[in-house]
Amino acid sequence: MERVEIRVEGMTCGGCVNSIQNALTNREGITSAAADLDSSMVTVEFDAGVIQQDAIEQAITDAGFSVAA
Ligand code: 9UX
């Protein structure tokens, strides 16, 4: 299991937290996603044999958020 922390722009409320977590955990290969509103960080645990970080970041942008550089 791999773990990555990604800084996300555009999370401004608890609804955003839920939608980003749901968007991520719906993806094959992602086992957990925990977004923190105060730090704007999302911690994602995933199976690197199934999904990679670029696709995780794509899922975040597909959900309407931006990934910070
Ligand atoms: Mo709350 Mo987050 O209305 O987009 S879900 S700002």
Side-chain angles (χ1 to χ4, degrees):
M1 191 67 58
E2 303 288 321
R3 176 192 296 235
V4 67
E5 281 190 76
I6 299 171
R7 185 176 299 280
V8 174
E9 292 171 347
M11 283 198 299
T12 53
C13 77
C16 296
V17 168
N18 287 332
S19 56
I20 195 164
Q21 289 177 164
N22 289 336
L24 287 167
T25 53
N26 282 340
R27 292 292 174 117
E28 195 75 29
I30 296 180
T31 51
S32 77
D36 184 74
L37 201 52
D38 292 330
S39 65
S40 296
M41 300 300 289
V42 182
T43 303
V44 183
E45 290 183 318
F46 62 101
D47 180 344
V50 179
I51 192 167
Q52 286 77 47
Q53 186 163 348
D54 58 345
I56 294 169
E57 294 183 354
Q58 185 66 51
I60 292 171
T61 55
D62 286 350
F65 302 93
S66 301
V67 174

